[in-house]
Amino acid sequence: MGRRLLVACCLALVALAGCSGGAGGPTPVADDANPTTTPANGDGEPTETTGLDLSVGAEMEAAALVRAHETALADESYVFRSGFGLPSGARERASTVVRAEDGLFEIERFQYHPLRGEATALYARDRREYVRFEDGPVTRTVAQPNRTAVPTGRQALVGTRTLTVTDTLQQDGERRYVLTAGLDYESADRTLPYRRAVVDERGLIHNYTSGEYIPPESERPTEGFLVSRWFDLSNVGATTVDEPDWLTDLRTTDSAGPVTTVVDHADLDTRFRVTGTNVDASVERLRNDAVLGSDHVDESRASPLIDLDIEGQISNATVRVGYDPAALPNGAEEGGLAVFVYNESLQTYLPLNTSLDADANVAVASRGAPVRYSSGGGPEQTLRPALSDPTADRLVVAVMHAETWYSAFR
């Protein structure tokens, strides 16, 4: 194959890669992509809305294009896809992101999150970020200040100084403009940077591809256009995001605290919610069969003993525990149940103020009434049991029948 023919084939392939497509990276689009050389407004002058000169041959600062692009996206909904590597073999780091007009955006395929590694879903709204993690029967959801910027493609253009309008085409019923690095790849005798953007009259970048061109006579084993990074937009102005139930529930109970973590353990029918600072690892464990049991605990309880790890400064914590009415002691009334928490200082269990949902067989509690006690004959002290005891290395809770517990304890 002659050199001119090889370069022409490479250019055709990359031009196809620049069209937006389905999942897995940019793919060819068979539509009315007919080249033309008509400038943006017919006379080669900058468009009134963006100040960008989109006439063929015009050179523009990449920073100016990014500003116009983000301005055009500010009040739009869209699907944003990005990735690394060739379009035909985009690596798993590609992500699909959806943003809706009401400010809610969703990362559909998300491989890593700085909070705790692998995440199954991430949403953001009103400067709050909601992340979901799943591990067998345990589901952990976290609400925190938004750490994830709405993706626009800005990062893909970092390091690019200028782009040149080299062509125009008709796509999706409108004229779009092809911007490249403006380099002569056909006669290149060295590796050159490759940049290609397809934009509309607003400056909205519908597709961007970057990489490098390697001439055939180079000593490198590959030649042609190598794509290293890409992104594209689709469904601009026509995208919606459905808010899942877990997000609605978390937003309803989310407090003004910096981080709220909710852990649901399906096997234990237990939910633990904690708000505070530096509590990313505050619920590392949520398990049953805790070692702090005894005969009179076992005689009194209508739920498993549930072991909680809490770290960090906690301002509020609530536990929701399912119980079994059939496990109540003989003759005991369901209304006498309460959530008890083990207190490290007194080495015993103390009741928390508890609300019962008898229809759902669920007990909910956060803290208890003050308790007066004396250690070793010393002066009386007051202690208020809560799920945020800063002296506790662990928290063990259970739903127990209060009168049965007190009788056995006495």
Side-chain angles (χ1 to χ4, degrees), residues 175-253:
R175 177 178 293 126
R176 292 183 183 170
Y177 306 85
V178 180
L179 283 67
T180 70
L183 301 175
D184 181 6
Y185 300 108
E186 185 172 348
S187 60
D189 58 1
R190 59 187 175 86
T191 299
L192 296 174
Y194 174 75
R195 307 287 186 270
R196 185 177 189 271
V198 178
V199 310
D200 63 20
E201 292 191 3
R202 297 177 294 170
L204 186 67
I205 306 173
H206 290 263
N207 175 269
Y208 182 78
T209 308
S210 66
E212 58 184 12
Y213 171 73
I214 303 171
E217 286 77 12
S218 70
E219 297 180 357
R220 295 178 59 174
T222 56
E223 63 182 57
F225 292 93
L226 298 182
V227 176
S228 61
R229 191 168 187 174
W230 58 267
F231 75 81
D232 63 32
L233 296 174
S234 59
N235 292 343
V236 177
T239 298
T240 59
V241 177
D242 294 327
E243 184 173 295
D245 292 341
W246 67 266
L247 174 58
T248 304
D249 293 342
L250 185 57
R251 289 182 60 223
T252 301
T253 59

Coordinates of all heavy atoms in Angstrom, one line a residue, residues 175-253:
R175 N -25.4 21.9 11.1 CA -24.0 22.0 10.7 C -23.1 21.9 11.9 O -23.3 22.5 12.9 CB -23.8 23.3 10.0 CG -22.3 23.6 9.5 CD -22.2 24.9 8.8 NE -22.9 24.8 7.5 CZ -23.7 25.7 7.1 NH1 -24.1 26.7 7.9 NH2 -24.3 25.6 5.9
R176 N -22.0 21.1 11.7 CA -21.0 21.0 12.8 C -19.7 21.3 12.2 O -19.5 21.2 11.0 CB -21.1 19.7 13.5 CG -22.4 19.5 14.3 CD -22.5 18.2 15.1 NE -23.8 18.2 15.8 CZ -24.2 17.1 16.4 NH1 -23.5 16.0 16.4 NH2 -25.4 17.1 17.0
Y177 N -18.7 21.6 13.0 CA -17.4 22.0 12.6 C -16.3 21.1 13.1 O -16.3 20.7 14.3 CB -17.2 23.5 13.1 CG -18.3 24.4 12.6 CD1 -19.5 24.5 13.4 CD2 -18.2 25.0 11.4 CE1 -20.5 25.2 13.0 CE2 -19.3 25.8 11.0 CZ -20.4 25.9 11.7 OH -21.5 26.7 11.3
V178 N -15.4 20.7 12.3 CA -14.3 19.8 12.6 C -13.1 20.6 13.0 O -12.6 21.4 12.1 CB -14.0 18.8 11.5 CG1 -12.9 17.9 11.9 CG2 -15.3 18.0 11.2
L179 N -12.6 20.5 14.2 CA -11.4 21.2 14.6 C -10.3 20.2 14.9 O -10.5 19.2 15.5 CB -11.6 22.0 15.9 CG -12.4 23.3 15.8 CD1 -13.9 23.1 15.4 CD2 -12.3 24.1 17.1
T180 N -9.1 20.5 14.4 CA -8.0 19.5 14.5 C -6.8 20.3 15.0 O -6.8 21.6 15.2 CB -7.6 18.8 13.2 OG1 -7.1 19.7 12.3 CG2 -8.9 18.1 12.6
A181 N -5.6 19.6 15.2 CA -4.4 20.3 15.6 C -3.8 21.1 14.4 O -2.9 21.9 14.6 CB -3.4 19.2 16.0
G182 N -4.4 20.9 13.2 CA -3.9 21.7 12.1 C -2.6 21.3 11.5 O -1.9 22.2 10.9
L183 N -2.2 20.1 11.7 CA -0.9 19.6 11.3 C -1.0 18.8 10.0 O -2.0 18.2 9.7 CB -0.3 18.7 12.4 CG -0.1 19.4 13.7 CD1 0.5 18.4 14.8 CD2 0.9 20.6 13.6
D184 N 0.1 18.7 9.2 CA 0.1 18.0 8.0 C 0.6 16.5 8.3 O 1.8 16.3 8.4 CB 1.1 18.7 7.0 CG 1.1 17.9 5.7 OD1 0.4 17.0 5.5 OD2 2.0 18.3 4.8
Y185 N -0.3 15.6 8.5 CA 0.1 14.2 8.8 C 0.6 13.5 7.6 O 1.4 12.6 7.7 CB -1.1 13.5 9.4 CG -1.6 14.1 10.7 CD1 -2.8 14.8 10.7 CD2 -0.9 14.1 11.9 CE1 -3.3 15.4 11.9 CE2 -1.3 14.7 13.0 CZ -2.5 15.3 13.1 OH -3.0 15.9 14.2
E186 N 0.1 13.9 6.4 CA 0.4 13.1 5.2 C 1.9 13.1 4.9 O 2.4 12.2 4.4 CB -0.4 13.6 4.0 CG -0.3 12.8 2.7 CD -1.2 13.3 1.6 OE1 -2.1 14.1 1.9 OE2 -1.0 12.8 0.5
S187 N 2.5 14.3 5.1 CA 4.0 14.4 4.8 C 4.8 14.3 6.1 O 6.0 14.6 6.0 CB 4.2 15.7 4.1 OG 3.8 16.8 4.9
A188 N 4.2 13.9 7.2 CA 5.0 13.9 8.5 C 6.1 12.8 8.4 O 5.9 11.7 7.9 CB 4.0 13.6 9.6
D189 N 7.2 13.2 9.0 CA 8.3 12.2 9.1 C 8.7 12.0 10.6 O 9.8 11.5 10.9 CB 9.6 12.8 8.3 CG 10.0 14.1 8.8 OD1 9.4 14.7 9.8 OD2 11.0 14.7 8.3
R190 N 7.8 12.4 11.5 CA 8.0 12.2 12.9 C 6.7 12.1 13.6 O 5.6 12.4 13.0 CB 8.8 13.4 13.5 CG 8.2 14.7 13.3 CD 9.0 15.9 13.8 NE 8.4 17.2 13.5 CZ 7.6 17.8 14.3 NH1 7.3 17.2 15.5 NH2 7.1 19.0 14.0
T191 N 6.7 11.6 14.8 CA 5.4 11.5 15.6 C 4.9 12.9 15.9 O 5.6 13.8 16.3 CB 5.7 10.7 16.9 OG1 6.2 9.4 16.6 CG2 4.4 10.6 17.7
L192 N 3.5 13.0 15.6 CA 2.9 14.3 15.8 C 1.7 14.1 16.8 O 1.0 13.1 16.7 CB 2.4 14.9 14.5 CG 3.5 15.3 13.5 CD1 2.8 15.7 12.2 CD2 4.3 16.4 14.0
P193 N 1.3 15.1 17.6 CA 0.1 15.0 18.4 C -1.1 15.0 17.5 O -1.2 15.7 16.4 CB 0.2 16.2 19.3 CG 1.0 17.2 18.5 CD 2.0 16.4 17.8
Y194 N -2.2 14.3 17.9 CA -3.4 14.3 17.1 C -4.6 14.8 18.0 O -4.7 14.3 19.1 CB -3.7 12.9 16.6 CG -5.1 12.8 16.0 CD1 -5.3 13.3 14.7 CD2 -6.2 12.2 16.7 CE1 -6.6 13.2 14.1 CE2 -7.4 12.1 16.1 CZ -7.6 12.7 14.8 OH -8.9 12.6 14.2
R195 N -5.3 15.7 17.5 CA -6.5 16.2 18.2 C -7.6 16.4 17.2 O -7.4 16.9 16.1 CB -6.2 17.6 18.9 CG -5.0 17.7 19.8 CD -5.2 16.9 21.1 NE -4.1 17.1 22.0 CZ -3.1 16.3 22.0 NH1 -3.0 15.2 21.2 NH2 -2.1 16.5 22.9
R196 N -8.8 16.0 17.6 CA -10.0 16.2 16.7 C -11.2 16.5 17.5 O -11.6 15.7 18.4 CB -10.2 15.0 15.8 CG -11.3 15.2 14.7 CD -11.4 14.0 13.8 NE -12.3 14.2 12.7 CZ -13.7 14.0 12.7 NH1 -14.2 13.5 13.8 NH2 -14.4 14.3 11.6
A197 N -11.9 17.6 17.3 CA -13.1 17.9 17.9 C -14.2 18.2 16.9 O -13.9 18.8 15.9 CB -13.0 19.1 18.8
V198 N -15.4 17.7 17.2 CA -16.6 18.1 16.4 C -17.5 18.9 17.2 O -18.0 18.5 18.3 CB -17.3 16.8 15.9 CG1 -18.6 17.1 15.1 CG2 -16.4 15.9 15.1
V199 N -17.8 20.2 16.8 CA -18.5 21.1 17.6 C -19.7 21.7 16.8 O -19.7 21.7 15.6 CB -17.6 22.3 18.2 CG1 -16.4 21.7 18.8 CG2 -17.2 23.2 17.0
D200 N -20.7 22.2 17.5 CA -21.7 22.9 16.8 C -21.5 24.4 16.9 O -20.5 24.9 17.5 CB -23.1 22.5 17.4 CG -23.3 22.8 18.8 OD1 -22.6 23.7 19.4 OD2 -24.2 22.2 19.5
E201 N -22.5 25.2 16.5 CA -22.4 26.7 16.4 C -22.3 27.3 17.8 O -21.8 28.4 17.9 CB -23.5 27.3 15.6 CG -23.4 26.9 14.1 CD -24.4 27.8 13.3 OE1 -25.1 28.6 13.9 OE2 -24.5 27.5 12.1
R202 N -22.8 26.6 18.8 CA -22.7 27.1 20.2 C -21.3 26.9 20.8 O -21.0 27.4 21.9 CB -23.7 26.5 21.1 CG -25.1 26.8 20.7 CD -26.1 26.0 21.6 NE -26.0 24.6 21.4 CZ -26.6 23.7 22.2 NH1 -27.3 24.1 23.3 NH2 -26.4 22.4 22.0
G203 N -20.5 26.1 20.1 CA -19.2 25.7 20.7 C -19.3 24.4 21.5 O -18.3 24.0 22.1
L204 N -20.4 23.8 21.5 CA -20.6 22.5 22.2 C -19.8 21.4 21.5 O -20.0 21.2 20.3 CB -22.1 22.2 22.2 CG -22.5 21.0 23.1 CD1 -22.3 21.3 24.6 CD2 -24.0 20.6 22.8
I205 N -19.0 20.8 22.2 CA -18.1 19.7 21.7 C -18.9 18.4 21.8 O -19.1 17.9 22.9 CB -16.8 19.6 22.5 CG1 -16.1 20.9 22.5 CG2 -15.9 18.5 21.8 CD1 -14.8 20.9 23.4
H206 N -19.3 17.9 20.7 CA -20.1 16.6 20.6 C -19.2 15.4 20.7 O -19.6 14.3 21.1 CB -21.0 16.6 19.4 CG -22.1 17.5 19.5 ND1 -23.4 17.2 19.9 CD2 -22.2 18.9 19.2 CE1 -24.2 18.2 19.8 NE2 -23.5 19.3 19.4
N207 N -17.9 15.6 20.2 CA -17.0 14.5 20.3 C -15.6 15.1 20.3 O -15.3 16.1 19.6 CB -17.1 13.6 19.0 CG -16.1 12.5 19.0 OD1 -15.0 12.7 18.4 ND2 -16.3 11.4 19.6
Y208 N -14.7 14.4 21.1 CA -13.3 14.9 21.1 C -12.4 13.6 21.2 O -12.7 12.7 22.0 CB -13.0 15.8 22.3 CG -11.6 16.3 22.4 CD1 -11.2 17.3 21.5 CD2 -10.7 15.7 23.2 CE1 -9.9 17.8 21.6 CE2 -9.4 16.2 23.2 CZ -9.0 17.2 22.4 OH -7.7 17.7 22.5
T209 N -11.4 13.6 20.4 CA -10.5 12.5 20.4 C -9.1 13.0 20.4 O -8.7 14.0 19.7 CB -10.7 11.6 19.1 OG1 -12.0 11.2 19.0 CG2 -9.8 10.3 19.2
S210 N -8.2 12.4 21.2 CA -6.8 12.9 21.2 C -5.9 11.6 21.2 O -6.3 10.5 21.6 CB -6.5 13.7 22.5 OG -6.6 12.9 23.6
G211 N -4.7 11.9 20.7 CA -3.7 10.8 20.6 C -2.5 11.3 19.9 O -2.1 12.4 20.1
E212 N -2.0 10.4 19.0 CA -0.8 10.8 18.3 C -0.8 10.1 16.9 O -1.4 9.0 16.8 CB 0.5 10.5 19.0 CG 0.7 9.1 19.4 CD 2.0 8.9 20.2 OE1 2.5 9.9 20.7 OE2 2.4 7.7 20.4
Y213 N -0.1 10.7 16.0 CA 0.1 10.1 14.7 C 1.6 9.6 14.5 O 2.5 10.4 14.8 CB -0.2 11.1 13.5 CG 0.2 10.5 12.2 CD1 -0.6 9.5 11.6 CD2 1.3 11.0 11.5 CE1 -0.2 9.0 10.4 CE2 1.6 10.5 10.3 CZ 0.9 9.5 9.7 OH 1.3 8.9 8.5
I214 N 1.7 8.4 14.1 CA 3.1 7.8 14.0 C 3.3 7.5 12.5 O 2.5 6.7 11.9 CB 3.2 6.5 14.8 CG1 2.9 6.8 16.3 CG2 4.6 5.9 14.6 CD1 2.8 5.6 17.1
P215 N 4.2 8.1 11.9 CA 4.4 7.9 10.4 C 4.9 6.4 10.1 O 5.5 5.8 11.0 CB 5.5 8.9 10.0 CG 6.2 9.2 11.3 CD 5.2 9.1 12.4
P216 N 4.6 5.9 9.0 CA 5.0 4.5 8.6 C 6.5 4.2 8.7 O 6.9 3.1 9.0 CB 4.5 4.4 7.2 CG 3.4 5.4 7.0 CD 3.9 6.6 7.9
E217 N 7.3 5.2 8.4 CA 8.8 4.9 8.4 C 9.4 5.0 9.8 O 10.6 4.9 9.9 CB 9.5 5.9 7.4 CG 9.2 5.6 6.0 CD 7.9 6.1 5.5 OE1 7.2 6.8 6.2 OE2 7.5 5.7 4.4
S218 N 8.6 5.2 10.8 CA 9.2 5.4 12.2 C 9.7 4.0 12.6 O 9.3 2.9 12.1 CB 8.2 5.9 13.2 OG 7.2 5.0 13.4
E219 N 10.5 4.0 13.7 CA 11.0 2.7 14.2 C 10.1 2.1 15.2 O 10.3 1.0 15.7 CB 12.4 3.0 14.9 CG 13.4 3.5 14.0 CD 14.8 3.7 14.7 OE1 14.8 3.6 15.9 OE2 15.7 4.1 14.0
R220 N 8.9 2.7 15.5 CA 8.0 2.2 16.4 C 7.2 1.1 15.8 O 7.0 1.1 14.6 CB 7.0 3.3 16.9 CG 7.8 4.3 17.8 CD 6.9 5.5 18.2 NE 5.8 5.0 19.0 CZ 4.9 5.8 19.7 NH1 5.1 7.1 19.6 NH2 4.0 5.3 20.4
P221 N 6.8 0.1 16.6 CA 6.1 -1.1 16.0 C 4.7 -0.8 15.4 O 4.2 -1.5 14.6 CB 6.0 -2.1 17.1 CG 6.0 -1.2 18.3 CD 7.0 -0.1 18.0
T222 N 4.1 0.3 15.8 CA 2.8 0.7 15.4 C 2.9 1.9 14.5 O 3.8 2.7 14.6 CB 1.8 1.0 16.5 OG1 2.4 2.0 17.4 CG2 1.5 -0.3 17.3
E223 N 1.9 2.1 13.6 CA 1.9 3.3 12.8 C 0.4 3.7 12.6 O -0.5 3.0 12.8 CB 2.6 3.0 11.5 CG 1.8 2.0 10.6 CD 2.6 1.7 9.3 OE1 3.8 1.3 9.4 OE2 2.0 1.9 8.3
G224 N 0.3 5.0 12.2 CA -1.1 5.5 11.9 C -1.5 6.3 13.2 O -0.7 6.8 14.0
F225 N -2.8 6.5 13.3 CA -3.4 7.3 14.4 C -3.7 6.4 15.6 O -4.4 5.5 15.5 CB -4.7 8.0 13.9 CG -4.4 9.1 12.9 CD1 -4.5 8.8 11.5 CD2 -4.1 10.4 13.3 CE1 -4.3 9.8 10.6 CE2 -3.9 11.4 12.3 CZ -4.0 11.1 11.0
L226 N -3.1 6.8 16.7 CA -3.3 6.0 17.9 C -4.2 6.9 18.9 O -3.7 8.0 19.3 CB -2.0 5.6 18.6 CG -1.1 4.7 17.8 CD1 0.1 4.4 18.6 CD2 -1.8 3.4 17.4
V227 N -5.4 6.5 19.2 CA -6.3 7.2 20.1 C -5.9 6.9 21.5 O -5.9 5.7 21.9 CB -7.7 6.9 19.8 CG1 -8.6 7.6 20.8 CG2 -8.1 7.3 18.4
S228 N -5.6 7.9 22.3 CA -5.3 7.7 23.7 C -6.5 8.1 24.7 O -6.6 7.6 25.8 CB -4.1 8.4 24.2 OG -4.2 9.8 24.0
R229 N -7.3 9.0 24.2 CA -8.4 9.5 25.1 C -9.5 10.0 24.2 O -9.3 10.6 23.1 CB -7.9 10.6 26.0 CG -8.8 11.0 27.1 CD -8.1 11.9 28.1 NE -8.9 12.2 29.3 CZ -8.5 12.8 30.3 NH1 -7.3 13.3 30.4 NH2 -9.3 13.1 31.3
W230 N -10.8 9.8 24.7 CA -11.9 10.3 23.9 C -13.1 10.6 24.8 O -13.2 10.1 25.9 CB -12.3 9.3 22.8 CG -12.7 8.0 23.4 CD1 -11.9 6.9 23.5 CD2 -14.0 7.6 23.9 NE1 -12.6 5.8 24.1 CE2 -13.9 6.2 24.3 CE3 -15.2 8.2 24.0 CZ2 -14.9 5.5 24.9 CZ3 -16.3 7.5 24.6 CH2 -16.1 6.1 25.0
F231 N -14.0 11.4 24.4 CA -15.3 11.6 25.0 C -16.3 12.0 24.0 O -16.0 12.5 22.9 CB -15.3 12.6 26.2 CG -15.2 14.0 25.8 CD1 -16.4 14.7 25.4 CD2 -14.0 14.8 25.8 CE1 -16.3 16.1 25.0 CE2 -14.0 16.1 25.4 CZ -15.1 16.7 25.0
D232 N -17.6 11.7 24.2 CA -18.6 12.2 23.4 C -19.9 12.5 24.2 O -20.1 12.0 25.3 CB -18.9 11.2 22.2 CG -19.4 9.9 22.6 OD1 -20.1 9.8 23.6 OD2 -19.1 8.9 21.9
L233 N -20.8 13.3 23.6 CA -22.0 13.7 24.2 C -23.2 13.2 23.3 O -23.0 13.2 22.1 CB -22.2 15.2 24.3 CG -21.2 15.9 25.2 CD1 -21.4 17.4 25.1 CD2 -21.3 15.5 26.7
S234 N -24.3 12.8 23.9 CA -25.4 12.4 23.1 C -26.7 12.8 24.0 O -26.6 13.1 25.1 CB -25.4 10.9 22.8 OG -25.4 10.1 24.0
N235 N -27.8 12.7 23.3 CA -29.1 13.0 24.0 C -29.1 14.4 24.7 O -29.6 14.6 25.8 CB -29.5 12.0 25.0 CG -29.9 10.6 24.3 OD1 -30.1 10.6 23.2 ND2 -29.9 9.6 25.1
V236 N -28.4 15.3 24.1 CA -28.3 16.7 24.7 C -29.7 17.3 24.7 O -30.4 17.4 23.7 CB -27.3 17.6 23.9 CG1 -27.3 19.0 24.4 CG2 -25.9 16.9 23.8
G237 N -30.1 17.7 25.9 CA -31.4 18.3 26.1 C -32.5 17.3 26.2 O -33.7 17.8 26.3
A238 N -32.3 16.0 26.1 CA -33.3 15.0 26.1 C -33.0 13.9 27.1 O -33.5 12.8 26.9 CB -33.5 14.5 24.7
T239 N -32.3 14.1 28.1 CA -31.9 13.1 29.1 C -32.6 13.3 30.4 O -32.8 14.4 30.9 CB -30.4 13.1 29.3 OG1 -29.7 12.9 28.1 CG2 -29.9 12.1 30.3
T240 N -33.0 12.2 31.0 CA -33.7 12.2 32.3 C -33.0 11.2 33.2 O -32.4 10.2 32.7 CB -35.2 11.9 32.2 OG1 -35.4 10.6 31.7 CG2 -35.9 13.0 31.4
V241 N -33.1 11.4 34.5 CA -32.5 10.5 35.5 C -33.6 10.1 36.5 O -34.2 11.0 37.1 CB -31.3 11.1 36.2 CG1 -30.7 10.1 37.2 CG2 -30.2 11.4 35.2
D242 N -33.8 8.9 36.6 CA -34.8 8.4 37.6 C -34.1 8.2 39.0 O -33.1 7.5 39.1 CB -35.4 7.1 37.2 CG -36.3 7.2 36.0 OD1 -36.9 8.3 35.8 OD2 -36.4 6.3 35.2
E243 N -34.6 8.9 40.0 CA -34.0 8.8 41.3 C -34.4 7.5 42.0 O -35.6 7.3 42.2 CB -34.4 10.0 42.2 CG -33.8 10.1 43.5 CD -34.1 11.4 44.3 OE1 -33.7 12.4 43.8 OE2 -34.8 11.3 45.3
P244 N -33.5 6.6 42.4 CA -33.8 5.3 43.0 C -34.4 5.5 44.4 O -34.1 6.6 45.0 CB -32.5 4.5 43.0 CG -31.5 5.6 42.9 CD -32.0 6.7 42.2
D245 N -35.1 4.5 44.9 CA -35.6 4.6 46.2 C -34.6 4.8 47.3 O -34.8 5.6 48.2 CB -36.4 3.3 46.5 CG -37.7 3.2 45.7 OD1 -38.1 4.2 45.1 OD2 -38.2 2.1 45.6
W246 N -33.4 4.2 47.2 CA -32.4 4.3 48.2 C -31.9 5.7 48.3 O -31.6 6.2 49.4 CB -31.3 3.3 48.0 CG -30.4 3.6 46.8 CD1 -30.6 3.0 45.6 CD2 -29.3 4.5 46.7 NE1 -29.6 3.5 44.7 CE2 -28.8 4.4 45.4 CE3 -28.7 5.3 47.6 CZ2 -27.7 5.1 45.0 CZ3 -27.6 6.1 47.2 CH2 -27.1 6.0 45.9
L247 N -31.8 6.4 47.2 CA -31.4 7.8 47.2 C -32.5 8.7 47.8 O -32.2 9.6 48.6 CB -31.1 8.2 45.8 CG -30.7 9.7 45.6 CD1 -29.5 10.1 46.4 CD2 -30.4 10.0 44.1
T248 N -33.7 8.4 47.4 CA -34.8 9.2 48.0 C -34.8 9.1 49.5 O -35.0 10.1 50.3 CB -36.2 8.8 47.4 OG1 -36.1 8.9 46.0 CG2 -37.3 9.7 48.0
D249 N -34.7 7.9 50.0 CA -34.7 7.6 51.5 C -33.5 8.3 52.1 O -33.6 8.9 53.2 CB -34.6 6.1 51.8 CG -35.8 5.4 51.3 OD1 -36.9 6.1 51.1 OD2 -35.8 4.2 51.2
L250 N -32.3 8.3 51.5 CA -31.1 8.9 52.1 C -31.2 10.4 52.1 O -30.9 11.0 53.1 CB -29.9 8.4 51.3 CG -28.5 8.9 51.9 CD1 -28.4 8.4 53.3 CD2 -27.4 8.3 51.0
R251 N -31.8 11.0 51.1 CA -31.9 12.4 51.0 C -32.9 12.9 52.1 O -32.8 13.9 52.7 CB -32.4 12.9 49.6 CG -31.3 12.7 48.6 CD -31.9 13.3 47.2 NE -32.3 14.6 47.3 CZ -33.4 15.2 46.8 NH1 -34.2 14.4 46.2 NH2 -33.6 16.4 47.0
T252 N -34.0 12.1 52.3 CA -35.0 12.4 53.3 C -34.4 12.5 54.7 O -34.8 13.3 55.5 CB -36.2 11.4 53.2 OG1 -36.7 11.4 51.9 CG2 -37.2 11.8 54.2
T253 N -33.5 11.5 55.0 CA -33.0 11.4 56.4 C -31.6 12.1 56.5 O -31.1 12.2 57.6 CB -32.8 10.0 56.8 OG1 -32.0 9.3 55.8 CG2 -34.2 9.3 56.8

